[in-house]
Amino acid sequence: MAIDVATVKKVASLSRLRESDERLQSLAGELNGILGWIEQLNEVDVSGVEPMTTAIEMPQPMREDVVTDGDKVREIVANAPKTVDGFFIVPKVVE
Amino acid sequence: MTELTKLTLKAAIDGLKAKTFSSTELTNAFIGAIETANPALNAYVETTFDKARTQAAASDAKLAKGEGGALEGAPLGIKDLYCTAGVRTTACSGILENFVPTYESTVTQNLWDQGAVMLGKLNMDEFAMGSSNETSKWGNVVNPWKSRGSNAELTPGGSSGGSAAAVAADLCLAATASDTGGSIRQPAAFTGTVGIKPTYGRCSRYGMVAFASSLDQAGPITKNVEDAAIMLQAMCSHDVKDSTSLDLAIPDFSSFIGKSVRGLRIGIPDEYRLDGIPAEIDALWEQGIAWLKDAGAEIVRISLPHTKYALPCYYIIAPAEASSNLARYDGMRFGHRTDAAQSLTDVYELSRSEGFGKEVKRRIMIGTYVLSAGFYDAYYVKALKVRRRIAEDFTKAFEACDVILTPATPSAAFDLGDQAKAADPVQMYLNDVFTVTTNLAGLPGLSVPAGLDSQGLPLGLQVIGKALDEGTVLNIASVLEKAAGFSAKPSKWW
């Protein structure tokens, strides 16, 4: 499953990353190297094996359905690139 | 006062309680040591000396009245992965360059509740992605250790390289670290320090900058095994803010130090004898086996047949989780936002491309690829199934043994700027070949320094335990530590 530059470009776009054409070229090589190495997983017989999604099996804990937090506008916007009056200022999204 | 910095955490806590010295004296000794060493070692990326002096004075007031917590007055270093309220936390990434959390991570809060003093934030690989500390936005850490007769700068390992270097160079009594594939144990092995990753869920992940959430686990790096028990005790807790945090009693870890290991069964996995591993590392492993045999333990050959698949499995799961976790950095609510954008897509793509470093971008892209339509089952689901096979190997092995002994790393500390590893990411990833299996299985693992190689560099042994059995891991490690009599320190060149 070799990856070409067009595929790398698509993956970059899905990742919301913009890379130079030169970098995309070398990334294709790097990703092929890594994915080629990963191919060895095909040697493992996993028939009948359930995917493992958690290291320690335990039921999802439930919490009481009560308000535990809030009234923290100042803290929430404290690290925003741009704010006005407790609102996030984001770039124009509709032309 | 410089000698105070050489104390173990245990000795310092005892000295503070006995009023042999004050926390202010101890803290000032560390501040002096950091000011001298940091320009050369780059272990701290942010120092909080004013805060440290204030905390030390408060601790001294408590200690004077015979009060205080388990770590009262003890100066610590904190990996820059832990959110610290009011203190910049970057995970050593450009995208968090100016991030100042308004809240405290649970692990660090636990430490402050026990009276610890914060000296500053410790350098690390960007988002904990790396094995040499070279992916840090703030430049690499330099290992305090050097090869005999050489002036070449060595890596302290990664990702917790700042934590390991700071402990090895006596720039804090102990440090917090974190381990997703070996990021506590590999740097500990490279610097002659002790590092333990507990069972997944022992420490809360709340307020730790996320890398791969099903694998990330907090733990300490310390000067010896007893200190590791003390630090781990303070860091662990059940936390409702982390749904994967374990609601189980936490044993008294220190009570396991130095206990007899007579009759304990030590598993030696055949599959950890790899081709191309230096003979010295094999010899040290044999020595470790002999020490435990002499101490009355029983040695058992075991098999972990899926070991060789652990790293490729990890390099699907960890990047997949990372690509999802790091999607939050969109330039909107916090983190870096580009100035160069013409459109919304520009904002996302340019903010992220400007903010993230090369290795992080590479892993995001691997993760995106293995999760993308058409490849999800072939890569991601397959890796999750292999992960279960790896975990089952351990379950089966632990029917025949109580703990497992392995080497910690496939080499001693290597040169910074290693060309072969820079050119081929897989070569760098192979550093975690002995450590990554425990992350996938969620098991506790500890690295203890056990000897020096022919170049005079430290080598570590790894002890792997059953889930929740950190106690036996610490017990075995304390016996290895005593038998090894490891007391070497790097000669001070900084």
Side-chain angles (χ1 to χ4, degrees):
Chain A
M1 265 186 273
I3 297 186
D4 56 17
V5 175
T7 308
V8 178
K9 196 165 185 168
K10 179 166 174 255
V11 173
S13 157
L14 288 170
S15 307
R16 289 285 186 255
L17 292 169
R18 193 170 300 175
E19 299 282 51
S20 68
D21 286 346
E22 194 191 354
R23 181 68 192 128
L24 289 173
Q25 195 82 40
S26 65
L27 267 167
E30 292 164 21
L31 296 190
N32 275 319
I34 294 164
L35 291 166
W37 170 67
I38 283 172
E39 293 288 323
Q40 59 180 299
L41 291 185
N42 291 329
E43 298 164 14
V44 184
D45 177 12
V46 291
S47 47
V49 178
E50 276 296 300
M52 178 172 166
T53 52
T54 178
I56 305 290
E57 297 290 340
M58 60 175 202
Q60 278 293 313
M62 302 289 276
R63 67 166 178 84
E64 272 190 73
D65 189 14
V66 292
V67 176
T68 56
D69 212 347
D71 198 18
K72 287 190 173 161
V73 174
R74 204 169 50 84
E75 287 90 332
I76 289 166
V77 299
N79 281 287
K82 271 187 192 165
T83 63
V84 170
D85 294 338
F87 289 92
F88 293 107
I89 302 301
V90 300
K92 190 169 158 188
V93 292
V94 180
E95 296 303 324
Chain B
M1 276 301 158
T2 54
E3 289 309 293
L4 285 180
T5 61
K6 296 196 185 334
L7 294 173
T8 63
L9 175 62
K10 175 73 165 71
I13 291 169
D14 290 347
L16 286 165
K17 283 219 171 77
K19 302 190 184 67
T20 312
F21 45 84
S22 69
S23 176
T24 299
E25 288 169 322
L26 185 58
T27 300
N28 282 330
F30 278 112
I31 291 172
I34 294 166
E35 281 173 339
T36 306
N38 213 48
L41 299 180
N42 199 29
Y44 283 86
V45 292
E46 184 98 2
T47 53
T48 53
F49 295 155
D50 289 343
K51 187 183 173 80
R53 289 192 183 96
T54 307
Q55 287 176 316
S59 286
D60 282 334
K62 282 190 182 169
L63 289 161
K65 290 188 275 181
E67 295 170 0
L71 299 174
E72 198 64 53
L76 306 178
I78 303 299
K79 187 176 182 180
D80 202 31
L81 190 86
Y82 291 86
C83 285
T84 40
V87 177
R88 188 168 74 136
T89 300
T90 69
C92 292
S93 177
I95 208 145
L96 286 172
E97 184 163 7
N98 300 309
F99 183 66
V100 180
T102 55
Y103 58 97
E104 190 76 27
S105 82
T106 297
V107 163
T108 48
Q109 188 61 53
N110 289 346
L111 298 175
W112 317 140
D113 288 348
Q114 292 295 326
V117 169
M118 174 160 76
L119 291 165
K121 302 300 285 289
L122 293 163
N123 206 344
M124 55 183 278
D125 280 297
E126 182 180 4
F127 284 106
M129 296 182 197
S131 301
S132 66
N133 225 287
E134 290 167 295
T135 72
S136 168
K137 167 78 176 172
W138 314 116
N140 61 268
V141 178
V142 178
N143 194 328
W145 291 83
K146 288 193 170 178
S147 296
R148 199 172 288 130
S150 164
N151 212 20
E153 293 188 337
L154 301 175
T155 176
S159 67
S160 308
S163 307
V167 172
D170 296 320
L171 306 182
C172 56
L173 286 173
T176 64
S178 70
D179 194 312
T180 304
S183 282
I184 291 176
R185 293 159 285 157
Q186 183 251 24
F190 280 9
T191 56
T193 55
V194 173
I196 180 169
K197 178 198 90 70
T199 308
Y200 183 81
R202 275 284 194 211
C203 292
S204 169
R205 291 181 294 103
Y206 176 77
M208 285 171 76
V209 177
F211 162 13
S213 303
S214 81
L215 303 162
D216 296 344
Q217 188 56 206
I221 290 180
T222 57
K223 295 186 189 183
N224 65 21
V225 178
E226 186 175 33
D227 286 1
I230 295 169
M231 274 293 280
L232 187 61
Q233 197 82 44
M235 291 168 74
C236 290
S237 66
H238 173 241
D239 183 10
V240 292
K241 293 176 187 160
D242 172 4
S243 66
T244 62
S245 153
L246 296 167
D247 189 7
L248 293 171
I250 297 156
D252 176 9
F253 294 131
S254 294
S255 72
F256 290 89
I257 304 298
K259 265 178 60 175
S260 167
V261 299
R262 192 161 296 281
L264 282 179
R265 298 165 303 165
I266 315 296
I268 308 299
D270 287 341
E271 292 79 4
Y272 280 58
R273 296 190 192 281
L274 302 182
D275 294 337
I277 298 292
E280 290 173 305
I281 287 180
D282 256 339
L284 185 76
W285 194 12
E286 290 304 325
Q287 179 64 68
I289 294 168
W291 284 329
L292 291 176
K293 217 179 196 170
D294 288 349
E298 186 192 332
I299 307 301
V300 188
R301 255 181 87 176
I302 58 165
S303 175
L304 298 167
H306 295 91
T307 297
K308 68 176 277 209
Y309 302 110
L311 266 178
C313 176
Y314 174 87
Y315 274 97
I316 293 177
I317 294 171
E321 294 186 21
S323 72
S324 171
N325 271 326
L326 272 57
R328 76 190 65 181
Y329 302 102
D330 58 4
M332 296 297 154
R333 295 149 301 146
F334 59 96
H336 173 74
R337 181 188 292 177
T338 183
D339 294 326
Q342 303 294 321
S343 69
L344 183 64
T345 305
D346 275 0
V347 181
Y348 294 143
E349 294 189 349
L350 295 176
S351 297
R352 288 164 64 78
S353 286
E354 291 166 9
F356 291 135
K358 192 171 157 188
E359 178 65 21
V360 170
K361 284 190 251 193
R362 185 156 56 207
R363 295 205 199 183
I364 290 173
M365 290 180 64
I366 295 169
T368 303
Y369 182 74
V370 300
L371 290 175
S372 64
F375 300 105
Y376 183 83
D377 286 329
Y379 286 112
Y380 184 62
V381 176
K382 173 97 192 186
L384 294 180
K385 291 178 176 176
V386 175
R387 182 178 184 181
R388 187 172 298 281
R389 283 280 192 234
I390 290 162
E392 286 168 351
D393 281 356
F394 280 104
T395 308
K396 191 147 177 281
F398 279 127
E399 288 170 7
C401 66
D402 300 300
V403 292
I404 295 168
L405 182 72
T406 78
T409 54
S411 74
F414 49 87
D415 287 353
L416 285 163
D418 185 297
Q419 288 307 310
K421 291 186 175 68
D424 180 1
V426 173
Q427 289 307 311
M428 187 65 92
Y429 299 167
L430 289 174
N431 261 286
D432 289 337
V433 66
F434 296 132
T435 49
V436 73
T437 49
T438 70
N439 297 82
L440 291 166
L443 304 173
L446 177 150
S447 172
V448 58
L452 299 177
D453 72 1
S454 59
Q455 302 298 307
L457 295 176
L459 295 173
L461 288 173
Q462 177 179 230
V463 184
I464 301 171
K466 296 175 184 171
L468 305 174
D469 196 15
E470 291 83 4
T472 306
V473 170
L474 289 160
N475 180 13
I476 294 287
S478 69
V479 169
L480 287 169
E481 178 179 58
K482 194 172 170 206
F486 187 91
S487 59
K489 294 287 282 181
S491 3
K492 201 171 164 193
W493 52 267
W494 53 87

